[in-house]
Amino acid sequence: MKLPIYLDNHATTPLDPRVLEAMMPYFSERFGNAASRNHSFGWEAEEAVEKARKQVADVIGANAREIVLTSGATESDNLALKGVAQMYAEKGNHIITAATEHKAILDTCKRLEKEGCRVTYLPVQGDGLVDLDMLREAITDKTILVSIMYANNEIGILQPIAEIGKICKERGVLFHTDAVQAFGKVPINVVKDNIDLASISAHKIYGPKGVGALYVRRRNPRVQLTAQMDGGGHERGMRSGTLNVPGIVGLGAAAEICRTGMAEETARLRQMRDWLKDRLLSELDEVFINGSIEHRLPNNLNMSFAYVEGESLLMGINDVAVSSGSACTSATLEPSYVLKALGMGDDLAHSSIRFGIGRFNTMEELEYTADKLIEVVRRLRELSPLYELAKEGVDLTKVQWTAH
Amino acid sequence: MAYSQKVLDHYYNPRNVGALDKGSPDVGTGMVGAPECGDVMKLQVQVNRETGVIEDAKFKTFGCGSAIASSSLATEWLKGKTVDEALAIKNTDIVTELSLPPVKIHCSVLAEDAIKAAIADYKRKHEARQDAQAVEAR
């Protein structure tokens, strides 16, 4: 077993060697511009791009022509939200999203608010799921778009996408989903789920960084977007810029591997995740799972280890790469807004760890991680005045703290 | 962000972890911070009532590695100092010793606050005892 161990697969994933192999020729001899229509270099590049487009489309039951290639999911999210807001400005100016969305959605919404849009940020329930009745009530005749993520990047919660799609369809509102964490990991069908726009990223599915896609529905309804960059009119005029051919080939290859291996991989990762969860729950007291365990990505585990601060935990397991919702690990000094949206106290948010199990992790790595984590939690609790007080029977919520 | 060697050393080998009898008249206890802020430090000093010298110091900290190191270092520095010398310890001394980056300065501030709170608690007990003795002497 090689150290350090990578268990942060929601942040990014290692490139699958098969993906790298597919990409390699497009860095060297097959260097053509996919927009060159008058020679074989261009045709070769275009063919590779069209193959990749189909490979991406096949994962979500879409048509290849509905895939707009981008630089990544942040661009896809921006294009979807701003593109719809501008294109459909005459129809309305109201957008509905959720409090637990990725910053690429929330910050784009903030920008749109400054430009005259009205945005409703739906709260989530304790398990992380959006309340469908609240969504129904939030839709007005000014609503043009609902954007709810498929799977959350911190807690792995799978939203009731099919139900949301159905509501949007009935009310004639476009439905965008940030599918970055779900794409290639759980079955998605844009037709069955009534999804009109979906953001996709390559580097979360063992593909390269710097490439992604936006699914844009072409029929029933035909979704139109205002382009956010001016240029050569690539990608049906929605996204100009010379295509990143090697990256796109990588995205396609990665998507194809996910599609063909999904059933096996999902079962394997779920089993590994459940083993880790059960081991930690059986060895340690006062450990909590954040968010629904039922409606969750198979490879995600997010837990809080009460009375132990997250960054000190990460420091103790420094040969295991995971992330924490603790403020100390981020630049903002605020604990995770996603965990807070579940109604969790700041103290438990500070004590949280996110595990993202990936294709290349082994049981041996998880065993090592569990052993080390159990040892570190016990050691830090010996050091924790909060654990001491709790063991004395003191109710920590009743203590007069000196906030700083 | 990389941790300094000294922070790592205090994190892996914290000095003076534990608790002193907070009911003892010679022990001063300070607890500062709040769980929702991600930092709580408890620092205790045991003072020789004749000489005013801190004979023992213990801590427990909920917080990041820098917070643990700041409080561990504080207990090391406190031992052997008089109460008044201890009050002269500044957070900037801790920052320098542990090479704390700007985002971790609040950890050192918290450690200074913990020292001040523990000594204030001791002084309060000490003065109460002297008052009681004065009453008895009358």
Side-chain angles (χ1 to χ4, degrees), chain A residues 115-138:
Chain A
E115 291 170 2
C117 284
R118 199 166 70 75
V119 180
T120 301
Y121 301 91
L122 294 175
V124 296
Q125 304 168 93
D127 56 5
L129 296 172
V130 165
D131 183 329
L132 295 172
D133 286 331
M134 288 187 83
L135 171 63
R136 279 190 200 96
E137 282 162 28

mmCIF file with all atom_site columns, all heavy atoms in Angstrom, chain A residues 115-138:
data_model
loop_
_atom_site.group_PDB
_atom_site.id
_atom_site.type_symbol
_atom_site.label_atom_id
_atom_site.label_alt_id
_atom_site.label_comp_id
_atom_site.label_asym_id
_atom_site.label_entity_id
_atom_site.label_seq_id
_atom_site.pdbx_PDB_ins_code
_atom_site.Cartn_x
_atom_site.Cartn_y
_atom_site.Cartn_z
_atom_site.occupancy
_atom_site.B_iso_or_equiv
_atom_site.pdbx_formal_charge
_atom_site.auth_seq_id
_atom_site.auth_comp_id
_atom_site.auth_asym_id
_atom_site.auth_atom_id
_atom_site.pdbx_PDB_model_num
ATOM 1   N N   . GLU A 1 115 ? -28.131 42.044 -11.198 1.00 0.00 ? 115 GLU A N   1
ATOM 2   C CA  . GLU A 1 115 ? -28.539 42.472 -12.532 1.00 0.00 ? 115 GLU A CA  1
ATOM 3   C C   . GLU A 1 115 ? -30.058 42.464 -12.698 1.00 0.00 ? 115 GLU A C   1
ATOM 4   O O   . GLU A 1 115 ? -30.561 42.511 -13.820 1.00 0.00 ? 115 GLU A O   1
ATOM 5   C CB  . GLU A 1 115 ? -27.852 41.592 -13.586 1.00 0.00 ? 115 GLU A CB  1
ATOM 6   C CG  . GLU A 1 115 ? -26.354 41.855 -13.625 1.00 0.00 ? 115 GLU A CG  1
ATOM 7   C CD  . GLU A 1 115 ? -25.565 40.873 -14.466 1.00 0.00 ? 115 GLU A CD  1
ATOM 8   O OE1 . GLU A 1 115 ? -26.180 39.978 -15.086 1.00 0.00 ? 115 GLU A OE1 1
ATOM 9   O OE2 . GLU A 1 115 ? -24.325 40.996 -14.482 1.00 0.00 ? 115 GLU A OE2 1
ATOM 10  N N   . GLY A 1 116 ? -30.764 42.343 -11.582 1.00 0.00 ? 116 GLY A N   1
ATOM 11  C CA  . GLY A 1 116 ? -32.210 42.503 -11.656 1.00 0.00 ? 116 GLY A CA  1
ATOM 12  C C   . GLY A 1 116 ? -33.036 41.241 -11.528 1.00 0.00 ? 116 GLY A C   1
ATOM 13  O O   . GLY A 1 116 ? -34.262 41.293 -11.565 1.00 0.00 ? 116 GLY A O   1
ATOM 14  N N   . CYS A 1 117 ? -32.389 40.083 -11.406 1.00 0.00 ? 117 CYS A N   1
ATOM 15  C CA  . CYS A 1 117 ? -33.160 38.854 -11.194 1.00 0.00 ? 117 CYS A CA  1
ATOM 16  C C   . CYS A 1 117 ? -33.572 38.746 -9.729  1.00 0.00 ? 117 CYS A C   1
ATOM 17  O O   . CYS A 1 117 ? -32.935 39.313 -8.846  1.00 0.00 ? 117 CYS A O   1
ATOM 18  C CB  . CYS A 1 117 ? -32.321 37.623 -11.554 1.00 0.00 ? 117 CYS A CB  1
ATOM 19  S SG  . CYS A 1 117 ? -32.177 37.373 -13.321 1.00 0.00 ? 117 CYS A SG  1
ATOM 20  N N   . ARG A 1 118 ? -34.627 37.968 -9.516  1.00 0.00 ? 118 ARG A N   1
ATOM 21  C CA  . ARG A 1 118 ? -35.014 37.644 -8.149  1.00 0.00 ? 118 ARG A CA  1
ATOM 22  C C   . ARG A 1 118 ? -34.692 36.163 -7.965  1.00 0.00 ? 118 ARG A C   1
ATOM 23  O O   . ARG A 1 118 ? -35.020 35.345 -8.829  1.00 0.00 ? 118 ARG A O   1
ATOM 24  C CB  . ARG A 1 118 ? -36.506 37.903 -7.941  1.00 0.00 ? 118 ARG A CB  1
ATOM 25  C CG  . ARG A 1 118 ? -36.914 38.040 -6.484  1.00 0.00 ? 118 ARG A CG  1
ATOM 26  C CD  . ARG A 1 118 ? -38.312 38.616 -6.387  1.00 0.00 ? 118 ARG A CD  1
ATOM 27  N NE  . ARG A 1 118 ? -39.321 37.652 -6.844  1.00 0.00 ? 118 ARG A NE  1
ATOM 28  C CZ  . ARG A 1 118 ? -39.709 36.599 -6.121  1.00 0.00 ? 118 ARG A CZ  1
ATOM 29  N NH1 . ARG A 1 118 ? -39.187 36.351 -4.934  1.00 0.00 ? 118 ARG A NH1 1
ATOM 30  N NH2 . ARG A 1 118 ? -40.637 35.771 -6.596  1.00 0.00 ? 118 ARG A NH2 1
ATOM 31  N N   . VAL A 1 119 ? -34.010 35.822 -6.881  1.00 0.00 ? 119 VAL A N   1
ATOM 32  C CA  . VAL A 1 119 ? -33.629 34.419 -6.667  1.00 0.00 ? 119 VAL A CA  1
ATOM 33  C C   . VAL A 1 119 ? -34.194 33.937 -5.341  1.00 0.00 ? 119 VAL A C   1
ATOM 34  O O   . VAL A 1 119 ? -34.072 34.611 -4.316  1.00 0.00 ? 119 VAL A O   1
ATOM 35  C CB  . VAL A 1 119 ? -32.091 34.253 -6.663  1.00 0.00 ? 119 VAL A CB  1
ATOM 36  C CG1 . VAL A 1 119 ? -31.719 32.787 -6.442  1.00 0.00 ? 119 VAL A CG1 1
ATOM 37  C CG2 . VAL A 1 119 ? -31.479 34.772 -7.967  1.00 0.00 ? 119 VAL A CG2 1
ATOM 38  N N   . THR A 1 120 ? -34.838 32.772 -5.364  1.00 0.00 ? 120 THR A N   1
ATOM 39  C CA  . THR A 1 120 ? -35.304 32.128 -4.143  1.00 0.00 ? 120 THR A CA  1
ATOM 40  C C   . THR A 1 120 ? -34.326 31.015 -3.800  1.00 0.00 ? 120 THR A C   1
ATOM 41  O O   . THR A 1 120 ? -34.046 30.156 -4.640  1.00 0.00 ? 120 THR A O   1
ATOM 42  C CB  . THR A 1 120 ? -36.710 31.530 -4.337  1.00 0.00 ? 120 THR A CB  1
ATOM 43  O OG1 . THR A 1 120 ? -37.602 32.576 -4.711  1.00 0.00 ? 120 THR A OG1 1
ATOM 44  C CG2 . THR A 1 120 ? -37.212 30.857 -3.069  1.00 0.00 ? 120 THR A CG2 1
ATOM 45  N N   . TYR A 1 121 ? -33.773 31.060 -2.574  1.00 0.00 ? 121 TYR A N   1
ATOM 46  C CA  . TYR A 1 121 ? -32.872 30.004 -2.116  1.00 0.00 ? 121 TYR A CA  1
ATOM 47  C C   . TYR A 1 121 ? -33.665 29.096 -1.176  1.00 0.00 ? 121 TYR A C   1
ATOM 48  O O   . TYR A 1 121 ? -33.931 29.468 -0.037  1.00 0.00 ? 121 TYR A O   1
ATOM 49  C CB  . TYR A 1 121 ? -31.667 30.604 -1.384  1.00 0.00 ? 121 TYR A CB  1
ATOM 50  C CG  . TYR A 1 121 ? -30.865 31.563 -2.249  1.00 0.00 ? 121 TYR A CG  1
ATOM 51  C CD1 . TYR A 1 121 ? -31.150 32.932 -2.260  1.00 0.00 ? 121 TYR A CD1 1
ATOM 52  C CD2 . TYR A 1 121 ? -29.836 31.108 -3.060  1.00 0.00 ? 121 TYR A CD2 1
ATOM 53  C CE1 . TYR A 1 121 ? -30.437 33.815 -3.059  1.00 0.00 ? 121 TYR A CE1 1
ATOM 54  C CE2 . TYR A 1 121 ? -29.110 31.982 -3.868  1.00 0.00 ? 121 TYR A CE2 1
ATOM 55  C CZ  . TYR A 1 121 ? -29.418 33.334 -3.860  1.00 0.00 ? 121 TYR A CZ  1
ATOM 56  O OH  . TYR A 1 121 ? -28.706 34.198 -4.655  1.00 0.00 ? 121 TYR A OH  1
ATOM 57  N N   . LEU A 1 122 ? -34.071 27.942 -1.682  1.00 0.00 ? 122 LEU A N   1
ATOM 58  C CA  . LEU A 1 122 ? -34.872 27.045 -0.854  1.00 0.00 ? 122 LEU A CA  1
ATOM 59  C C   . LEU A 1 122 ? -34.014 26.474 0.272   1.00 0.00 ? 122 LEU A C   1
ATOM 60  O O   . LEU A 1 122 ? -32.887 26.049 0.027   1.00 0.00 ? 122 LEU A O   1
ATOM 61  C CB  . LEU A 1 122 ? -35.408 25.878 -1.687  1.00 0.00 ? 122 LEU A CB  1
ATOM 62  C CG  . LEU A 1 122 ? -36.416 26.191 -2.786  1.00 0.00 ? 122 LEU A CG  1
ATOM 63  C CD1 . LEU A 1 122 ? -36.729 24.912 -3.561  1.00 0.00 ? 122 LEU A CD1 1
ATOM 64  C CD2 . LEU A 1 122 ? -37.691 26.788 -2.205  1.00 0.00 ? 122 LEU A CD2 1
ATOM 65  N N   . PRO A 1 123 ? -34.557 26.452 1.493   1.00 0.00 ? 123 PRO A N   1
ATOM 66  C CA  . PRO A 1 123 ? -33.829 25.764 2.565   1.00 0.00 ? 123 PRO A CA  1
ATOM 67  C C   . PRO A 1 123 ? -33.922 24.249 2.316   1.00 0.00 ? 123 PRO A C   1
ATOM 68  O O   . PRO A 1 123 ? -34.733 23.818 1.499   1.00 0.00 ? 123 PRO A O   1
ATOM 69  C CB  . PRO A 1 123 ? -34.597 26.160 3.821   1.00 0.00 ? 123 PRO A CB  1
ATOM 70  C CG  . PRO A 1 123 ? -35.985 26.462 3.350   1.00 0.00 ? 123 PRO A CG  1
ATOM 71  C CD  . PRO A 1 123 ? -35.855 26.969 1.938   1.00 0.00 ? 123 PRO A CD  1
ATOM 72  N N   . VAL A 1 124 ? -33.092 23.468 2.963   1.00 0.00 ? 124 VAL A N   1
ATOM 73  C CA  . VAL A 1 124 ? -33.233 22.015 2.845   1.00 0.00 ? 124 VAL A CA  1
ATOM 74  C C   . VAL A 1 124 ? -33.671 21.449 4.190   1.00 0.00 ? 124 VAL A C   1
ATOM 75  O O   . VAL A 1 124 ? -33.553 22.111 5.216   1.00 0.00 ? 124 VAL A O   1
ATOM 76  C CB  . VAL A 1 124 ? -31.927 21.328 2.372   1.00 0.00 ? 124 VAL A CB  1
ATOM 77  C CG1 . VAL A 1 124 ? -31.560 21.776 0.971   1.00 0.00 ? 124 VAL A CG1 1
ATOM 78  C CG2 . VAL A 1 124 ? -30.787 21.576 3.351   1.00 0.00 ? 124 VAL A CG2 1
ATOM 79  N N   . GLN A 1 125 ? -34.164 20.232 4.153   1.00 0.00 ? 125 GLN A N   1
ATOM 80  C CA  . GLN A 1 125 ? -34.586 19.576 5.391   1.00 0.00 ? 125 GLN A CA  1
ATOM 81  C C   . GLN A 1 125 ? -33.353 19.016 6.104   1.00 0.00 ? 125 GLN A C   1
ATOM 82  O O   . GLN A 1 125 ? -32.249 19.030 5.557   1.00 0.00 ? 125 GLN A O   1
ATOM 83  C CB  . GLN A 1 125 ? -35.593 18.475 5.052   1.00 0.00 ? 125 GLN A CB  1
ATOM 84  C CG  . GLN A 1 125 ? -36.784 19.042 4.264   1.00 0.00 ? 125 GLN A CG  1
ATOM 85  C CD  . GLN A 1 125 ? -37.678 17.969 3.655   1.00 0.00 ? 125 GLN A CD  1
ATOM 86  O OE1 . GLN A 1 125 ? -38.649 17.560 4.242   1.00 0.00 ? 125 GLN A OE1 1
ATOM 87  N NE2 . GLN A 1 125 ? -37.307 17.508 2.472   1.00 0.00 ? 125 GLN A NE2 1
ATOM 88  N N   . GLY A 1 126 ? -33.566 18.491 7.302   1.00 0.00 ? 126 GLY A N   1
ATOM 89  C CA  . GLY A 1 126 ? -32.452 17.998 8.118   1.00 0.00 ? 126 GLY A CA  1
ATOM 90  C C   . GLY A 1 126 ? -31.613 16.935 7.426   1.00 0.00 ? 126 GLY A C   1
ATOM 91  O O   . GLY A 1 126 ? -30.418 16.788 7.695   1.00 0.00 ? 126 GLY A O   1
ATOM 92  N N   . ASP A 1 127 ? -32.246 16.181 6.500   1.00 0.00 ? 127 ASP A N   1
ATOM 93  C CA  . ASP A 1 127 ? -31.510 15.133 5.796   1.00 0.00 ? 127 ASP A CA  1
ATOM 94  C C   . ASP A 1 127 ? -30.844 15.665 4.525   1.00 0.00 ? 127 ASP A C   1
ATOM 95  O O   . ASP A 1 127 ? -30.196 14.914 3.806   1.00 0.00 ? 127 ASP A O   1
ATOM 96  C CB  . ASP A 1 127 ? -32.435 13.949 5.465   1.00 0.00 ? 127 ASP A CB  1
ATOM 97  C CG  . ASP A 1 127 ? -33.665 14.362 4.655   1.00 0.00 ? 127 ASP A CG  1
ATOM 98  O OD1 . ASP A 1 127 ? -33.752 15.541 4.261   1.00 0.00 ? 127 ASP A OD1 1
ATOM 99  O OD2 . ASP A 1 127 ? -34.534 13.505 4.423   1.00 0.00 ? 127 ASP A OD2 1
ATOM 100 N N   . GLY A 1 128 ? -31.060 16.949 4.245   1.00 0.00 ? 128 GLY A N   1
ATOM 101 C CA  . GLY A 1 128 ? -30.394 17.565 3.093   1.00 0.00 ? 128 GLY A CA  1
ATOM 102 C C   . GLY A 1 128 ? -31.268 17.675 1.858   1.00 0.00 ? 128 GLY A C   1
ATOM 103 O O   . GLY A 1 128 ? -30.866 18.273 0.863   1.00 0.00 ? 128 GLY A O   1
ATOM 104 N N   . LEU A 1 129 ? -32.477 17.081 1.915   1.00 0.00 ? 129 LEU A N   1
ATOM 105 C CA  . LEU A 1 129 ? -33.340 17.073 0.735   1.00 0.00 ? 129 LEU A CA  1
ATOM 106 C C   . LEU A 1 129 ? -34.195 18.335 0.650   1.00 0.00 ? 129 LEU A C   1
ATOM 107 O O   . LEU A 1 129 ? -34.613 18.887 1.663   1.00 0.00 ? 129 LEU A O   1
ATOM 108 C CB  . LEU A 1 129 ? -34.259 15.843 0.760   1.00 0.00 ? 129 LEU A CB  1
ATOM 109 C CG  . LEU A 1 129 ? -33.552 14.485 0.664   1.00 0.00 ? 129 LEU A CG  1
ATOM 110 C CD1 . LEU A 1 129 ? -34.531 13.346 0.888   1.00 0.00 ? 129 LEU A CD1 1
ATOM 111 C CD2 . LEU A 1 129 ? -32.872 14.327 -0.682  1.00 0.00 ? 129 LEU A CD2 1
ATOM 112 N N   . VAL A 1 130 ? -34.445 18.745 -0.578  1.00 0.00 ? 130 VAL A N   1
ATOM 113 C CA  . VAL A 1 130 ? -35.324 19.881 -0.829  1.00 0.00 ? 130 VAL A CA  1
ATOM 114 C C   . VAL A 1 130 ? -36.772 19.445 -0.561  1.00 0.00 ? 130 VAL A C   1
ATOM 115 O O   . VAL A 1 130 ? -37.155 18.319 -0.865  1.00 0.00 ? 130 VAL A O   1
ATOM 116 C CB  . VAL A 1 130 ? -35.169 20.323 -2.299  1.00 0.00 ? 130 VAL A CB  1
ATOM 117 C CG1 . VAL A 1 130 ? -36.291 21.253 -2.728  1.00 0.00 ? 130 VAL A CG1 1
ATOM 118 C CG2 . VAL A 1 130 ? -33.815 20.990 -2.509  1.00 0.00 ? 130 VAL A CG2 1
ATOM 119 N N   . ASP A 1 131 ? -37.545 20.339 0.033   1.00 0.00 ? 131 ASP A N   1
ATOM 120 C CA  . ASP A 1 131 ? -38.963 20.073 0.291   1.00 0.00 ? 131 ASP A CA  1
ATOM 121 C C   . ASP A 1 131 ? -39.745 20.409 -0.982  1.00 0.00 ? 131 ASP A C   1
ATOM 122 O O   . ASP A 1 131 ? -39.783 21.561 -1.408  1.00 0.00 ? 131 ASP A O   1
ATOM 123 C CB  . ASP A 1 131 ? -39.424 20.944 1.467   1.00 0.00 ? 131 ASP A CB  1
ATOM 124 C CG  . ASP A 1 131 ? -40.876 20.684 1.847   1.00 0.00 ? 131 ASP A CG  1
ATOM 125 O OD1 . ASP A 1 131 ? -41.683 20.330 0.948   1.00 0.00 ? 131 ASP A OD1 1
ATOM 126 O OD2 . ASP A 1 131 ? -41.203 20.847 3.034   1.00 0.00 ? 131 ASP A OD2 1
ATOM 127 N N   . LEU A 1 132 ? -40.379 19.384 -1.575  1.00 0.00 ? 132 LEU A N   1
ATOM 128 C CA  . LEU A 1 132 ? -41.046 19.578 -2.868  1.00 0.00 ? 132 LEU A CA  1
ATOM 129 C C   . LEU A 1 132 ? -42.243 20.529 -2.769  1.00 0.00 ? 132 LEU A C   1
ATOM 130 O O   . LEU A 1 132 ? -42.522 21.270 -3.715  1.00 0.00 ? 132 LEU A O   1
ATOM 131 C CB  . LEU A 1 132 ? -41.479 18.231 -3.439  1.00 0.00 ? 132 LEU A CB  1
ATOM 132 C CG  . LEU A 1 132 ? -40.310 17.286 -3.801  1.00 0.00 ? 132 LEU A CG  1
ATOM 133 C CD1 . LEU A 1 132 ? -40.834 15.907 -4.173  1.00 0.00 ? 132 LEU A CD1 1
ATOM 134 C CD2 . LEU A 1 132 ? -39.452 17.860 -4.915  1.00 0.00 ? 132 LEU A CD2 1
ATOM 135 N N   . ASP A 1 133 ? -42.912 20.524 -1.629  1.00 0.00 ? 133 ASP A N   1
ATOM 136 C CA  . ASP A 1 133 ? -44.041 21.456 -1.470  1.00 0.00 ? 133 ASP A CA  1
ATOM 137 C C   . ASP A 1 133 ? -43.550 22.905 -1.466  1.00 0.00 ? 133 ASP A C   1
ATOM 138 O O   . ASP A 1 133 ? -44.191 23.786 -2.028  1.00 0.00 ? 133 ASP A O   1
ATOM 139 C CB  . ASP A 1 133 ? -44.813 21.168 -0.178  1.00 0.00 ? 133 ASP A CB  1
ATOM 140 C CG  . ASP A 1 133 ? -45.647 19.900 -0.322  1.00 0.00 ? 133 ASP A CG  1
ATOM 141 O OD1 . ASP A 1 133 ? -46.058 19.597 -1.469  1.00 0.00 ? 133 ASP A OD1 1
ATOM 142 O OD2 . ASP A 1 133 ? -45.868 19.208 0.688   1.00 0.00 ? 133 ASP A OD2 1
ATOM 143 N N   . MET A 1 134 ? -42.401 23.115 -0.829  1.00 0.00 ? 134 MET A N   1
ATOM 144 C CA  . MET A 1 134 ? -41.832 24.474 -0.816  1.00 0.00 ? 134 MET A CA  1
ATOM 145 C C   . MET A 1 134 ? -41.454 24.893 -2.230  1.00 0.00 ? 134 MET A C   1
ATOM 146 O O   . MET A 1 134 ? -41.621 26.052 -2.606  1.00 0.00 ? 134 MET A O   1
ATOM 147 C CB  . MET A 1 134 ? -40.599 24.539 0.087   1.00 0.00 ? 134 MET A CB  1
ATOM 148 C CG  . MET A 1 134 ? -40.945 24.455 1.551   1.00 0.00 ? 134 MET A CG  1
ATOM 149 S SD  . MET A 1 134 ? -39.496 24.747 2.574   1.00 0.00 ? 134 MET A SD  1
ATOM 150 C CE  . MET A 1 134 ? -39.464 26.518 2.592   1.00 0.00 ? 134 MET A CE  1
ATOM 151 N N   . LEU A 1 135 ? -40.937 23.929 -2.992  1.00 0.00 ? 135 LEU A N   1
ATOM 152 C CA  . LEU A 1 135 ? -40.578 24.241 -4.378  1.00 0.00 ? 135 LEU A CA  1
ATOM 153 C C   . LEU A 1 135 ? -41.837 24.648 -5.153  1.00 0.00 ? 135 LEU A C   1
ATOM 154 O O   . LEU A 1 135 ? -41.856 25.676 -5.834  1.00 0.00 ? 135 LEU A O   1
ATOM 155 C CB  . LEU A 1 135 ? -39.908 23.034 -5.036  1.00 0.00 ? 135 LEU A CB  1
ATOM 156 C CG  . LEU A 1 135 ? -39.685 23.155 -6.553  1.00 0.00 ? 135 LEU A CG  1
ATOM 157 C CD1 . LEU A 1 135 ? -38.741 24.302 -6.873  1.00 0.00 ? 135 LEU A CD1 1
ATOM 158 C CD2 . LEU A 1 135 ? -39.145 21.850 -7.138  1.00 0.00 ? 135 LEU A CD2 1
ATOM 159 N N   . ARG A 1 136 ? -42.903 23.827 -5.020  1.00 0.00 ? 136 ARG A N   1
ATOM 160 C CA  . ARG A 1 136 ? -44.162 24.134 -5.728  1.00 0.00 ? 136 ARG A CA  1
ATOM 161 C C   . ARG A 1 136 ? -44.654 25.531 -5.381  1.00 0.00 ? 136 ARG A C   1
ATOM 162 O O   . ARG A 1 136 ? -45.053 26.299 -6.242  1.00 0.00 ? 136 ARG A O   1
ATOM 163 C CB  . ARG A 1 136 ? -45.240 23.116 -5.329  1.00 0.00 ? 136 ARG A CB  1
ATOM 164 C CG  . ARG A 1 136 ? -45.135 21.819 -6.088  1.00 0.00 ? 136 ARG A CG  1
ATOM 165 C CD  . ARG A 1 136 ? -46.357 20.937 -5.848  1.00 0.00 ? 136 ARG A CD  1
ATOM 166 N NE  . ARG A 1 136 ? -46.020 19.573 -6.190  1.00 0.00 ? 136 ARG A NE  1
ATOM 167 C CZ  . ARG A 1 136 ? -45.628 18.646 -5.310  1.00 0.00 ? 136 ARG A CZ  1
ATOM 168 N NH1 . ARG A 1 136 ? -45.565 18.943 -4.021  1.00 0.00 ? 136 ARG A NH1 1
ATOM 169 N NH2 . ARG A 1 136 ? -45.302 17.438 -5.719  1.00 0.00 ? 136 ARG A NH2 1
ATOM 170 N N   . GLU A 1 137 ? -44.599 25.853 -4.079  1.00 0.00 ? 137 GLU A N   1
ATOM 171 C CA  . GLU A 1 137 ? -45.103 27.160 -3.639  1.00 0.00 ? 137 GLU A CA  1
ATOM 172 C C   . GLU A 1 137 ? -44.225 28.310 -4.119  1.00 0.00 ? 137 GLU A C   1
ATOM 173 O O   . GLU A 1 137 ? -44.706 29.427 -4.272  1.00 0.00 ? 137 GLU A O   1
ATOM 174 C CB  . GLU A 1 137 ? -45.197 27.188 -2.104  1.00 0.00 ? 137 GLU A CB  1
ATOM 175 C CG  . GLU A 1 137 ? -46.420 26.448 -1.596  1.00 0.00 ? 137 GLU A CG  1
ATOM 176 C CD  . GLU A 1 137 ? -46.291 26.091 -0.121  1.00 0.00 ? 137 GLU A CD  1
ATOM 177 O OE1 . GLU A 1 137 ? -45.586 26.808 0.611   1.00 0.00 ? 137 GLU A OE1 1
ATOM 178 O OE2 . GLU A 1 137 ? -46.900 25.070 0.278   1.00 0.00 ? 137 GLU A OE2 1
ATOM 179 N N   . ALA A 1 138 ? -42.937 28.015 -4.331  1.00 0.00 ? 138 ALA A N   1
ATOM 180 C CA  . ALA A 1 138 ? -42.012 29.095 -4.707  1.00 0.00 ? 138 ALA A CA  1
ATOM 181 C C   . ALA A 1 138 ? -42.163 29.507 -6.174  1.00 0.00 ? 138 ALA A C   1
ATOM 182 O O   . ALA A 1 138 ? -41.789 30.614 -6.548  1.00 0.00 ? 138 ALA A O   1
ATOM 183 C CB  . ALA A 1 138 ? -40.573 28.663 -4.433  1.00 0.00 ? 138 ALA A CB  1
#
